PDB file of all heavy atoms in Angstrom:
ATOM      1  N   THR A   1      93.663  91.973 122.101  1.00  0.00           N
ATOM      2  CA  THR A   1      94.503  90.772 122.112  1.00  0.00           C
ATOM      3  C   THR A   1      93.872  89.605 122.870  1.00  0.00           C
ATOM      4  O   THR A   1      94.298  88.473 122.706  1.00  0.00           O
ATOM      5  CB  THR A   1      95.888  91.070 122.744  1.00  0.00           C
ATOM      6  OG1 THR A   1      95.696  91.568 124.077  1.00  0.00           O
ATOM      7  CG2 THR A   1      96.645  92.106 121.907  1.00  0.00           C
ATOM      8  N   GLN A   2      92.865  89.888 123.693  1.00  0.00           N
ATOM      9  CA  GLN A   2      92.238  88.855 124.510  1.00  0.00           C
ATOM     10  C   GLN A   2      90.852  88.472 123.991  1.00  0.00           C
ATOM     11  O   GLN A   2      90.029  89.351 123.735  1.00  0.00           O
ATOM     12  CB  GLN A   2      92.089  89.346 125.948  1.00  0.00           C
ATOM     13  CG  GLN A   2      93.405  89.648 126.621  1.00  0.00           C
ATOM     14  CD  GLN A   2      94.274  88.406 126.750  1.00  0.00           C
ATOM     15  OE1 GLN A   2      93.779  87.330 127.065  1.00  0.00           O
ATOM     16  NE2 GLN A   2      95.546  88.561 126.483  1.00  0.00           N
ATOM     17  N   PRO A   3      90.568  87.183 123.840  1.00  0.00           N
ATOM     18  CA  PRO A   3      89.244  86.758 123.413  1.00  0.00           C
ATOM     19  C   PRO A   3      88.129  87.210 124.360  1.00  0.00           C
ATOM     20  O   PRO A   3      86.991  87.355 123.944  1.00  0.00           O
ATOM     21  CB  PRO A   3      89.332  85.230 123.384  1.00  0.00           C
ATOM     22  CG  PRO A   3      90.757  84.902 123.376  1.00  0.00           C
ATOM     23  CD  PRO A   3      91.490  86.054 123.991  1.00  0.00           C
ATOM     24  N   THR A   4      88.454  87.457 125.641  1.00  0.00           N
ATOM     25  CA  THR A   4      87.436  87.885 126.599  1.00  0.00           C
ATOM     26  C   THR A   4      86.903  89.276 126.279  1.00  0.00           C
ATOM     27  O   THR A   4      85.799  89.621 126.679  1.00  0.00           O
ATOM     28  CB  THR A   4      87.984  87.864 128.042  1.00  0.00           C
ATOM     29  OG1 THR A   4      89.172  88.670 128.093  1.00  0.00           O
ATOM     30  CG2 THR A   4      88.291  86.458 128.492  1.00  0.00           C
ATOM     31  N   LEU A   5      87.670  90.080 125.556  1.00  0.00           N
ATOM     32  CA  LEU A   5      87.231  91.417 125.145  1.00  0.00           C
ATOM     33  C   LEU A   5      86.692  91.433 123.717  1.00  0.00           C
ATOM     34  O   LEU A   5      86.277  92.477 123.217  1.00  0.00           O
ATOM     35  CB  LEU A   5      88.391  92.421 125.252  1.00  0.00           C
ATOM     36  CG  LEU A   5      88.957  92.634 126.653  1.00  0.00           C
ATOM     37  CD1 LEU A   5      90.185  93.535 126.594  1.00  0.00           C
ATOM     38  CD2 LEU A   5      87.901  93.235 127.553  1.00  0.00           C
ATOM     39  N   ALA A   6      86.752  90.289 123.068  1.00  0.00           N
ATOM     40  CA  ALA A   6      86.395  90.218 121.643  1.00  0.00           C
ATOM     41  C   ALA A   6      84.888  90.120 121.421  1.00  0.00           C
ATOM     42  O   ALA A   6      84.151  89.590 122.257  1.00  0.00           O
ATOM     43  CB  ALA A   6      87.072  89.010 121.004  1.00  0.00           C
ATOM     44  N   LYS A   7      84.470  90.637 120.287  1.00  0.00           N
ATOM     45  CA  LYS A   7      83.080  90.495 119.850  1.00  0.00           C
ATOM     46  C   LYS A   7      82.805  89.015 119.633  1.00  0.00           C
ATOM     47  O   LYS A   7      83.654  88.283 119.145  1.00  0.00           O
ATOM     48  CB  LYS A   7      82.880  91.278 118.545  1.00  0.00           C
ATOM     49  CG  LYS A   7      81.453  91.317 118.046  1.00  0.00           C
ATOM     50  CD  LYS A   7      81.360  92.310 116.898  1.00  0.00           C
ATOM     51  CE  LYS A   7      79.969  92.406 116.359  1.00  0.00           C
ATOM     52  NZ  LYS A   7      79.029  93.026 117.271  1.00  0.00           N
ATOM     53  N   GLN A   8      81.603  88.585 120.017  1.00  0.00           N
ATOM     54  CA  GLN A   8      81.228  87.174 119.878  1.00  0.00           C
ATOM     55  C   GLN A   8      79.991  87.049 119.010  1.00  0.00           C
ATOM     56  O   GLN A   8      79.086  87.875 119.099  1.00  0.00           O
ATOM     57  CB  GLN A   8      80.904  86.577 121.243  1.00  0.00           C
ATOM     58  CG  GLN A   8      82.046  86.574 122.205  1.00  0.00           C
ATOM     59  CD  GLN A   8      81.629  86.019 123.557  1.00  0.00           C
ATOM     60  OE1 GLN A   8      80.656  85.277 123.658  1.00  0.00           O
ATOM     61  NE2 GLN A   8      82.360  86.368 124.591  1.00  0.00           N
ATOM     62  N   TRP A   9      79.985  86.032 118.194  1.00  0.00           N
ATOM     63  CA  TRP A   9      78.806  85.703 117.386  1.00  0.00           C
ATOM     64  C   TRP A   9      78.321  84.342 117.846  1.00  0.00           C
ATOM     65  O   TRP A   9      79.109  83.429 118.089  1.00  0.00           O
ATOM     66  CB  TRP A   9      79.143  85.680 115.906  1.00  0.00           C
ATOM     67  CG  TRP A   9      79.439  87.036 115.373  1.00  0.00           C
ATOM     68  CD1 TRP A   9      78.568  87.905 114.821  1.00  0.00           C
ATOM     69  CD2 TRP A   9      80.706  87.697 115.342  1.00  0.00           C
ATOM     70  NE1 TRP A   9      79.193  89.065 114.449  1.00  0.00           N
ATOM     71  CE2 TRP A   9      80.521  88.971 114.768  1.00  0.00           C
ATOM     72  CE3 TRP A   9      81.999  87.343 115.775  1.00  0.00           C
ATOM     73  CZ2 TRP A   9      81.557  89.878 114.583  1.00  0.00           C
ATOM     74  CZ3 TRP A   9      83.023  88.260 115.596  1.00  0.00           C
ATOM     75  CH2 TRP A   9      82.795  89.499 115.014  1.00  0.00           C
ATOM     76  N   LYS A  10      77.023  84.181 117.915  1.00  0.00           N
ATOM     77  CA  LYS A  10      76.442  82.914 118.389  1.00  0.00           C
ATOM     78  C   LYS A  10      76.282  81.892 117.274  1.00  0.00           C
ATOM     79  O   LYS A  10      76.116  80.709 117.544  1.00  0.00           O
ATOM     80  CB  LYS A  10      75.101  83.171 119.067  1.00  0.00           C
ATOM     81  CG  LYS A  10      75.279  83.953 120.354  1.00  0.00           C
ATOM     82  CD  LYS A  10      73.981  84.168 121.065  1.00  0.00           C
ATOM     83  CE  LYS A  10      74.230  84.976 122.324  1.00  0.00           C
ATOM     84  NZ  LYS A  10      73.073  85.157 123.143  1.00  0.00           N
ATOM     85  N   THR A  11      76.342  82.351 116.015  1.00  0.00           N
ATOM     86  CA  THR A  11      76.225  81.407 114.906  1.00  0.00           C
ATOM     87  C   THR A  11      77.370  81.623 113.911  1.00  0.00           C
ATOM     88  O   THR A  11      77.877  82.753 113.775  1.00  0.00           O
ATOM     89  CB  THR A  11      74.893  81.551 114.150  1.00  0.00           C
ATOM     90  OG1 THR A  11      74.867  82.808 113.468  1.00  0.00           O
ATOM     91  CG2 THR A  11      73.700  81.429 115.091  1.00  0.00           C
ATOM     92  N   LEU A  12      77.730  80.570 113.242  1.00  0.00           N
ATOM     93  CA  LEU A  12      78.766  80.630 112.224  1.00  0.00           C
ATOM     94  C   LEU A  12      78.358  81.581 111.106  1.00  0.00           C
ATOM     95  O   LEU A  12      79.167  82.391 110.636  1.00  0.00           O
ATOM     96  CB  LEU A  12      79.021  79.217 111.679  1.00  0.00           C
ATOM     97  CG  LEU A  12      80.028  79.082 110.551  1.00  0.00           C
ATOM     98  CD1 LEU A  12      81.404  79.564 110.986  1.00  0.00           C
ATOM     99  CD2 LEU A  12      80.091  77.642 110.071  1.00  0.00           C
ATOM    100  N   ASP A  13      77.089  81.517 110.681  1.00  0.00           N
ATOM    101  CA  ASP A  13      76.609  82.369 109.591  1.00  0.00           C
ATOM    102  C   ASP A  13      76.753  83.847 109.911  1.00  0.00           C
ATOM    103  O   ASP A  13      77.150  84.646 109.067  1.00  0.00           O
ATOM    104  CB  ASP A  13      75.146  82.053 109.248  1.00  0.00           C
ATOM    105  CG  ASP A  13      75.023  80.723 108.519  1.00  0.00           C
ATOM    106  OD1 ASP A  13      76.030  80.211 107.986  1.00  0.00           O
ATOM    107  OD2 ASP A  13      73.894  80.190 108.485  1.00  0.00           O
ATOM    108  N   LYS A  14      76.397  84.238 111.133  1.00  0.00           N
ATOM    109  CA  LYS A  14      76.495  85.656 111.519  1.00  0.00           C
ATOM    110  C   LYS A  14      77.948  86.119 111.557  1.00  0.00           C
ATOM    111  O   LYS A  14      78.270  87.239 111.158  1.00  0.00           O
ATOM    112  CB  LYS A  14      75.796  85.899 112.840  1.00  0.00           C
ATOM    113  CG  LYS A  14      74.282  85.810 112.729  1.00  0.00           C
ATOM    114  CD  LYS A  14      73.617  86.341 113.964  1.00  0.00           C
ATOM    115  CE  LYS A  14      72.115  86.137 113.907  1.00  0.00           C
ATOM    116  NZ  LYS A  14      71.434  86.990 112.974  1.00  0.00           N
ATOM    117  N   ALA A  15      78.840  85.281 112.039  1.00  0.00           N
ATOM    118  CA  ALA A  15      80.268  85.619 112.058  1.00  0.00           C
ATOM    119  C   ALA A  15      80.806  85.774 110.632  1.00  0.00           C
ATOM    120  O   ALA A  15      81.526  86.728 110.335  1.00  0.00           O
ATOM    121  CB  ALA A  15      81.063  84.567 112.818  1.00  0.00           C
ATOM    122  N   LEU A  16      80.439  84.847 109.770  1.00  0.00           N
ATOM    123  CA  LEU A  16      80.878  84.926 108.379  1.00  0.00           C
ATOM    124  C   LEU A  16      80.299  86.151 107.674  1.00  0.00           C
ATOM    125  O   LEU A  16      81.000  86.818 106.901  1.00  0.00           O
ATOM    126  CB  LEU A  16      80.496  83.657 107.616  1.00  0.00           C
ATOM    127  CG  LEU A  16      81.269  82.406 107.996  1.00  0.00           C
ATOM    128  CD1 LEU A  16      80.670  81.178 107.332  1.00  0.00           C
ATOM    129  CD2 LEU A  16      82.735  82.549 107.630  1.00  0.00           C
ATOM    130  N   ASP A  17      79.044  86.477 107.946  1.00  0.00           N
ATOM    131  CA  ASP A  17      78.437  87.670 107.359  1.00  0.00           C
ATOM    132  C   ASP A  17      79.204  88.923 107.767  1.00  0.00           C
ATOM    133  O   ASP A  17      79.494  89.780 106.938  1.00  0.00           O
ATOM    134  CB  ASP A  17      76.968  87.800 107.776  1.00  0.00           C
ATOM    135  CG  ASP A  17      76.049  86.870 107.026  1.00  0.00           C
ATOM    136  OD1 ASP A  17      76.483  86.284 106.004  1.00  0.00           O
ATOM    137  OD2 ASP A  17      74.896  86.717 107.460  1.00  0.00           O
ATOM    138  N   PHE A  18      79.536  89.026 109.052  1.00  0.00           N
ATOM    139  CA  PHE A  18      80.294  90.182 109.524  1.00  0.00           C
ATOM    140  C   PHE A  18      81.659  90.234 108.828  1.00  0.00           C
ATOM    141  O   PHE A  18      82.069  91.282 108.335  1.00  0.00           O
ATOM    142  CB  PHE A  18      80.492  90.140 111.038  1.00  0.00           C
ATOM    143  CG  PHE A  18      81.331  91.281 111.537  1.00  0.00           C
ATOM    144  CD1 PHE A  18      80.742  92.493 111.834  1.00  0.00           C
ATOM    145  CD2 PHE A  18      82.707  91.138 111.683  1.00  0.00           C
ATOM    146  CE1 PHE A  18      81.536  93.560 112.279  1.00  0.00           C
ATOM    147  CE2 PHE A  18      83.482  92.193 112.124  1.00  0.00           C
ATOM    148  CZ  PHE A  18      82.898  93.403 112.416  1.00  0.00           C
ATOM    149  N   GLY A  19      82.359  89.119 108.813  1.00  0.00           N
ATOM    150  CA  GLY A  19      83.672  89.073 108.182  1.00  0.00           C
ATOM    151  C   GLY A  19      83.630  89.454 106.718  1.00  0.00           C
ATOM    152  O   GLY A  19      84.441  90.265 106.252  1.00  0.00           O
ATOM    153  N   ASN A  20      82.683  88.891 106.013  1.00  0.00           N
ATOM    154  CA  ASN A  20      82.600  89.121 104.563  1.00  0.00           C
ATOM    155  C   ASN A  20      82.047  90.487 104.187  1.00  0.00           C
ATOM    156  O   ASN A  20      82.467  91.068 103.179  1.00  0.00           O
ATOM    157  CB  ASN A  20      81.747  88.039 103.902  1.00  0.00           C
ATOM    158  CG  ASN A  20      82.454  86.701 103.905  1.00  0.00           C
ATOM    159  OD1 ASN A  20      83.657  86.612 103.841  1.00  0.00           O
ATOM    160  ND2 ASN A  20      81.682  85.631 104.049  1.00  0.00           N
ATOM    161  N   HIS A  21      81.112  91.017 104.989  1.00  0.00           N
ATOM    162  CA  HIS A  21      80.431  92.245 104.582  1.00  0.00           C
ATOM    163  C   HIS A  21      80.925  93.487 105.329  1.00  0.00           C
ATOM    164  O   HIS A  21      80.802  94.601 104.809  1.00  0.00           O
ATOM    165  CB  HIS A  21      78.925  92.107 104.771  1.00  0.00           C
ATOM    166  CG  HIS A  21      78.347  91.016 103.936  1.00  0.00           C
ATOM    167  ND1 HIS A  21      78.295  91.063 102.549  1.00  0.00           N
ATOM    168  CD2 HIS A  21      77.857  89.799 104.271  1.00  0.00           C
ATOM    169  CE1 HIS A  21      77.775  89.939 102.093  1.00  0.00           C
ATOM    170  NE2 HIS A  21      77.500  89.156 103.115  1.00  0.00           N
ATOM    171  N   SER A  22      81.473  93.345 106.522  1.00  0.00           N
ATOM    172  CA  SER A  22      81.954  94.505 107.275  1.00  0.00           C
ATOM    173  C   SER A  22      83.473  94.567 107.347  1.00  0.00           C
ATOM    174  O   SER A  22      84.055  95.647 107.255  1.00  0.00           O
ATOM    175  CB  SER A  22      81.393  94.476 108.708  1.00  0.00           C
ATOM    176  OG  SER A  22      80.008  94.644 108.704  1.00  0.00           O
ATOM    177  N   LEU A  23      84.115  93.426 107.530  1.00  0.00           N
ATOM    178  CA  LEU A  23      85.546  93.427 107.739  1.00  0.00           C
ATOM    179  C   LEU A  23      86.358  93.427 106.440  1.00  0.00           C
ATOM    180  O   LEU A  23      87.225  94.278 106.252  1.00  0.00           O
ATOM    181  CB  LEU A  23      85.925  92.201 108.594  1.00  0.00           C
ATOM    182  CG  LEU A  23      87.284  92.201 109.247  1.00  0.00           C
ATOM    183  CD1 LEU A  23      87.463  93.403 110.168  1.00  0.00           C
ATOM    184  CD2 LEU A  23      87.471  90.928 110.037  1.00  0.00           C
ATOM    185  N   THR A  24      86.066  92.500 105.559  1.00  0.00           N
ATOM    186  CA  THR A  24      86.847  92.382 104.319  1.00  0.00           C
ATOM    187  C   THR A  24      86.841  93.664 103.488  1.00  0.00           C
ATOM    188  O   THR A  24      87.896  94.109 103.051  1.00  0.00           O
ATOM    189  CB  THR A  24      86.366  91.179 103.488  1.00  0.00           C
ATOM    190  OG1 THR A  24      86.591  89.992 104.258  1.00  0.00           O
ATOM    191  CG2 THR A  24      87.122  91.067 102.173  1.00  0.00           C
ATOM    192  N   PRO A  25      85.682  94.307 103.260  1.00  0.00           N
ATOM    193  CA  PRO A  25      85.709  95.548 102.458  1.00  0.00           C
ATOM    194  C   PRO A  25      86.503  96.672 103.122  1.00  0.00           C
ATOM    195  O   PRO A  25      87.099  97.496 102.438  1.00  0.00           O
ATOM    196  CB  PRO A  25      84.231  95.938 102.353  1.00  0.00           C
ATOM    197  CG  PRO A  25      83.472  94.696 102.627  1.00  0.00           C
ATOM    198  CD  PRO A  25      84.320  93.900 103.580  1.00  0.00           C
ATOM    199  N   LYS A  26      86.544  96.683 104.435  1.00  0.00           N
ATOM    200  CA  LYS A  26      87.248  97.747 105.166  1.00  0.00           C
ATOM    201  C   LYS A  26      88.751  97.505 105.225  1.00  0.00           C
ATOM    202  O   LYS A  26      89.543  98.425 105.031  1.00  0.00           O
ATOM    203  CB  LYS A  26      86.674  97.875 106.572  1.00  0.00           C
ATOM    204  CG  LYS A  26      87.228  99.043 107.361  1.00  0.00           C
ATOM    205  CD  LYS A  26      86.492  99.248 108.643  1.00  0.00           C
ATOM    206  CE  LYS A  26      85.177  99.929 108.496  1.00  0.00           C
ATOM    207  NZ  LYS A  26      85.088 101.176 107.802  1.00  0.00           N
ATOM    208  N   LEU A  27      89.175  96.277 105.499  1.00  0.00           N
ATOM    209  CA  LEU A  27      90.593  95.993 105.701  1.00  0.00           C
ATOM    210  C   LEU A  27      91.304  95.466 104.457  1.00  0.00           C
ATOM    211  O   LEU A  27      92.507  95.618 104.327  1.00  0.00           O
ATOM    212  CB  LEU A  27      90.773  94.969 106.830  1.00  0.00           C
ATOM    213  CG  LEU A  27      90.338  95.415 108.205  1.00  0.00           C
ATOM    214  CD1 LEU A  27      90.585  94.305 109.205  1.00  0.00           C
ATOM    215  CD2 LEU A  27      91.078  96.670 108.631  1.00  0.00           C
ATOM    216  N   LYS A  28      90.577  94.771 103.623  1.00  0.00           N
ATOM    217  CA  LYS A  28      91.146  94.147 102.430  1.00  0.00           C
ATOM    218  C   LYS A  28      92.365  93.261 102.776  1.00  0.00           C
ATOM    219  O   LYS A  28      93.393  93.281 102.115  1.00  0.00           O
ATOM    220  CB  LYS A  28      91.525  95.202 101.392  1.00  0.00           C
ATOM    221  CG  LYS A  28      90.331  96.057 101.012  1.00  0.00           C
ATOM    222  CD  LYS A  28      90.532  96.757  99.717  1.00  0.00           C
ATOM    223  CE  LYS A  28      89.444  97.722  99.371  1.00  0.00           C
ATOM    224  NZ  LYS A  28      88.096  97.342  99.561  1.00  0.00           N
TER     225      LYS A  28
END
């Protein structure tokens, strides 16, 4: 629930890659 414990990405592209390739297929 806290951003301080959240995974951080240093670039927008890396965050989007994770969301699109790791998160979306798993959670739908």
Side-chain angles (χ1 to χ4, degrees):
T1 58
Q2 298 297 319
T4 55
L5 298 174
K7 185 171 180 68
Q8 298 178 22
W9 291 269
K10 294 182 181 184
T11 68
L12 177 61
D13 287 342
K14 288 192 185 289
L16 289 172
D17 283 347
F18 177 86
N20 290 328
H21 299 293
S22 294
L23 196 59
T24 298
K26 186 171 281 307
L27 296 181
K28 303 200 186 315

